[in-house]
Amino acid sequence: LEADYCWLRFWGIMLLFGASFGDVRYSVPEEMERGSVIGNLARDLGLKLVEIVERRARIVAEGTRQLCELDYGSGSLLVSERIDREELCVQAAVCVLQYQLLLEDPLKVYSLVLDIQDMNDNSPAFATGKIDLDLVESTVLGRRFPLESAHDPDLGTNSVRDYKLSHNDHFALEINTQMNGIAYPELVLKKNLDRETQAEYTLTISGVDGGNPARSGTASVHIHVLDANDNVPVFSQRTYKASLIENSATGVLVATLNATDLDDGVYGEITYYFSHVSDKTRGIVEIDPVSGEVRVAGQVDYEEASAHELDVQAKDGGGQASHCKLIIEVIDVNDNEPVIAVKSASAMVSEDSKPGTMVALLNVYDLDTGNSGRVKCAISNDIPFKLISEVKNYYMLVTDGILDREMNPHYNITVTAIDSGSPELFSRNVISITVGDVNDNPPTFTQSEYTAKVWENQHRGTLVIRVRAEDLDAGPNAKILYSLSEGMNPETFSSLSVNAETGELFTSRPFDYEQASHYQVGVTAQDGGNPPLSSTCTVRVFVGDHNDNTPVVLYPVQSSGFIPEDLVPLEAPKGYLVTKVLAVDADSGHNAWLSYHVVQASQPNLFTVGLHSGEIRTVRPFVEQDEPKQTLVITVRDNGPQSLSATATVNVVIGDDVPVLNKLFENTDDDSQASYNLTLYLKIALATVSSLLLVLISAVLYFRMCRRGFIYRASSLPVFPTAYGPPRYADVSRCGTVLKDDRYDSFLTTGSWKGDFRFGLSNGPHFSHGRKKKKDES
């Protein structure tokens, strides 16, 4: 208990001494059990246990084994491996191990020094268990014979302090302490030898260390009594020193030892050998037993041992020997490449990371010394990263610019470390960094505007078009969902639907060209980021017309109870305008072009109907034999692929007292020419439609041509109320076709011999169309 108390006081003094110099210093006895507590780092450094865990504290050793570890639960420094001072520091007077306590975020390093204290864990041992001495019987009293010393790897009081010799009458043991402090036992003759009385002596020598309790080791001493070898070998130097360059080749001469013996013959023949070799020195050098030359026998590594001490013995043929010490200093060369140790690294860094974000912590060092151990570290300049060193031998790899995953999703950063030796040595380490995606790119449509065509009356769910958007992001940030844009016309919104996954646009109900000829819808593409990003494109859907509407006869009104009668003078000449059949078709384009045909007449070859105008005129003058009342059945056909038709019945009454109006036949030739021109225009329009297959363009051309026509009606013709026609329709052509046009307010007038229809722009001036008068009439 008293010894333990002394150790505790010693550790406390050493801890206070270390703290005063800005680091933590512990005194640790060797051979402590694994898990033993060296000291409480958290308390001694003023750190909290939570801080140790959160800042990923760890113990780092440079170039040495990791003999200790940090207990995160208590903040204590524990022994993790067997600590053997003799293995770590051989016989150095001071055994110090250097560590660092490394804290991250922010980076901070504390110096940690362990003084390894020697324990008496080794017993003295002789190189050989048997010592042979050959003594001549003439040896004078008091003659000293150096014996092999015992070796104890321990230091100080734990090393060999005393030698003891077994009881005998002829020999005594004395200790000779040399300049280097090492004690060598010497056998002293205190009684004359008589070979004839006793030729051999067997003694036991014990080497005792100064530990508590003391340890000892023994060797037997066999003394052979001989004749006349009264001189021992003598070395020219008590201590030899030599220098040896690291990595020297095998066979290189290190030193030559020289000992002399004044005896002749076999007593003067000297043999050299190492009396003690440490584990780190064994096999590195060898000595020639005859010449005393010491040469390199193995790998000389400065990093393993910077110096070697060897005990050399010279023994003559008579068994007498002397000792010397050989000290070999190893000269360091630049034979170690720099070491790049990655202490921590982030496999992924977000592309929105700010400049200066740490992604890796590197420990760069070189086992060489001097200039050879000075290391410079660098990376490429063409990447958005840089190295920062705030603590010796430690580098932080941080971001040095804006990261863009879409341009560079991955970086293989090569770190190069170069020392300052000659020649320079370098090493490289590749750190792989993946750039994490953030939602910084909105979806982009391949087209800002799409155009599609769908025929009317198609089934619900008919594919209209597929829109496609791309997102440069990755993962959920690139997953795109499609939807119809908000704020659209409710009718449009209910007419179309979109597949959220594929972007395919479908019809939600059958289209009716007569209700709407085109739709404009916005499609929004939204990614799966947080917050989500979106973009919108415009889809224009044009509805194609089918011939699905039958012509409707507006005049004469076809009712089951009454069909109006039209009067014609008996004296009416050939080509006289009797009346006009007016019909409309809700379709458009060529599907709405109407033609009129006489399918039945009370009297053939009396009346004719204009093919496109629907005007009924006389074929010849009337005669007395003609019936006064004529009935005509007129068929109105459209121009669709499968023509649809309607039938109108016209009643004509021939009156004697009805005046003949010159205005109804005087320009018959002009009408024929106009009819011919109109037929020509229609043929041109049909050719245009067939060649271009653009229904809308042909319709526009058709409407423009039809505005140039004229419609004639006798003043006696009835007025057509707007209720007879479909809402928002007006007859503005000479073809008898009613066109849908929101720009016109149609109405019929009487009292004019020239204009059958008048129409005007809404909220603007009105214009009337009619045939040009030859005479000025009001």
Side-chain angles (χ1 to χ4, degrees), residues 730 732 742-749 757-770:
V732 294
D742 295 337
R743 298 175 300 167
Y744 298 101
D745 294 330
S746 61
F747 59 92
L748 303 174
T749 63
F757 295 94
R758 289 188 179 181
F759 58 91
L761 290 171
S762 299
N763 301 324
H766 289 74
F767 300 89
S768 63
H769 285 250

Side-chain angles (χ1 to χ4, degrees), residues 22 55 69 102 153 170 256 265 271 300 303 318 366 406 444 482 496 518 646 657 686 701:
R55 295 180 65 183
E69 62 185 3
L102 180 64
H170 289 79
T256 301
T271 302
V300 181
E303 286 69 41
D366 196 314
E406 288 68 41
T444 303
Y482 300 89
L496 297 167
H518 76 279
D657 54 352
L686 286 172
L701 295 176

Side-chain angles (χ1 to χ4, degrees), residues 126 277 387 552 624 654 685:
F126 294 86
V277 181
L387 287 175
V552 177
E624 294 291 340
I654 303 174

Side-chain angles (χ1 to χ4, degrees), residues 98-307:
Q98 200 75 27
Y99 293 87
Q100 288 87 32
L101 175 63
L102 180 64
L103 298 175
E104 295 184 15
D105 194 24
L107 176 65
K108 187 161 185 175
V109 177
Y110 294 95
S111 177
L112 176 61
V113 179
L114 298 184
D115 286 327
I116 308 302
Q117 302 300 318
D118 183 47
M119 300 293 292
N120 190 25
D121 58 339
N122 293 281
S123 299
F126 294 86
T128 59
K130 180 180 179 182
I131 301 174
D132 293 322
L133 290 178
D134 294 333
L135 304 180
V136 295
E137 60 181 356
S138 59
T139 303
V140 296
L141 295 177
R143 182 74 179 271
R144 295 172 178 271
F145 301 95
L147 298 178
E148 176 185 349
S149 59
H151 177 72
D152 192 336
D154 298 323
L155 294 177
T157 58
N158 295 326
S159 63
V160 179
R161 290 301 182 204
D162 194 15
Y163 291 90
K164 295 181 180 180
L165 187 67
S166 61
H167 178 74
N168 68 92
D169 295 331
H170 289 79
F171 299 93
L173 189 66
E174 293 185 5
I175 307 300
N176 180 20
T177 302
Q178 299 183 0
M179 295 178 61
N180 56 11
I182 299 177
Y184 291 95
E186 293 182 343
L187 195 65
V188 181
L189 181 64
K190 64 180 182 178
K191 185 178 180 180
N192 290 324
L193 299 176
D194 185 0
R195 182 180 179 277
E196 288 69 27
T197 302
Q198 187 174 353
E200 292 186 357
Y201 295 89
T202 301
L203 307 176
T204 300
I205 184 172
S206 300
V208 182
D209 62 23
N212 185 16
R215 291 174 176 265
S216 64
T218 62
S220 61
V221 181
H222 294 269
I223 302 173
H224 305 276
V225 180
L226 303 175
D227 292 330
N229 183 18
D230 54 352
N231 290 287
V232 297
V234 177
F235 281 98
S236 60
Q237 298 175 221
R238 299 294 293 175
T239 301
Y240 291 84
K241 294 184 178 180
S243 298
L244 180 61
I245 298 176
E246 182 182 13
N247 301 325
S248 294
T250 302
V252 171
L253 179 64
V254 178
T256 301
L257 307 182
N258 182 34
T260 58
D261 193 317
L262 298 178
D263 294 326
D264 293 329
V266 67
Y267 299 118
E269 295 177 358
I270 299 175
T271 302
Y272 301 92
Y273 60 92
F274 295 131
S275 61
H276 175 263
V277 181
S278 65
D279 292 339
K280 289 191 176 181
T281 306
R282 183 174 291 110
I284 295 179
V285 293
E286 62 184 5
I287 189 170
D288 189 302
V290 177
S291 65
E293 293 181 343
V294 179
R295 296 182 179 272
V296 175
Q299 179 68 31
V300 181
D301 190 352
Y302 176 88
E303 286 69 41
E304 287 292 330
S306 60

